[in-house]
């Protein structure tokens, strides 16, 4: 998995988490919290878990979110 693919997976996950929490602004703190959650509270070997451990840059995640 490339970092771009990981960013797309994380962008979807972070967008859904932000909506369920009622957040409109997704900043670096929200991204870090969601990635931490994905690292430690998802099944090992899942795409989300792998993407969280690759940890693409916040800018890459935001760019992937804008593209989708």
């Amino acid at each position: 998995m490339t970092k771009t693919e990981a960013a797309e997976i994380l962008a979807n996950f972070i967008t859904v988490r932000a909506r369920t929490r009622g957040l409109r602004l997704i900043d670096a703190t929200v991204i870090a919290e969601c990635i931490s959650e994905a690292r430690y509270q998802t099944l090992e070997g899942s795409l989300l878990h792998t993407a969280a451990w690759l940890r693409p840059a916040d800018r890459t995640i935001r760019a992937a979110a804008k593209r989708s």
Side-chain angles (χ1 to χ4, degrees), residues 31 47 54 61:
I31 292 173
L47 289 176
L54 278 175
I61 294 171

Side-chain angles (χ1 to χ4, degrees), residues 48-68:
L48 181 59
H49 187 261
T50 305
W53 280 103
L54 278 175
R55 185 61 168 105
D58 294 349
R59 295 168 112 190
T60 310
I61 294 171
R62 287 187 183 136
K66 287 180 183 177
R67 279 182 276 166
S68 62

Side-chain angles (χ1 to χ4, degrees), residues 5 27 38-41:
E5 293 169 340
D27 59 354
R39 280 183 178 174
Y40 299 110
Q41 296 180 1

Side-chain angles (χ1 to χ4, degrees), residues 12-56:
N12 290 330
F13 176 73
I14 291 168
T15 303
V16 169
R17 287 293 182 208
R19 284 183 186 158
T20 58
R21 294 177 184 170
L23 301 174
R24 289 186 175 200
L25 179 67
I26 299 175
D27 59 354
T29 306
V30 174
I31 292 173
E33 287 175 5
C34 289
I35 289 175
S36 178
E37 181 181 341
R39 280 183 178 174
Y40 299 110
Q41 296 180 1
T42 59
L43 295 173
E44 278 189 46
S46 67
L47 289 176
L48 181 59
H49 187 261
T50 305
W53 280 103
L54 278 175
R55 185 61 168 105

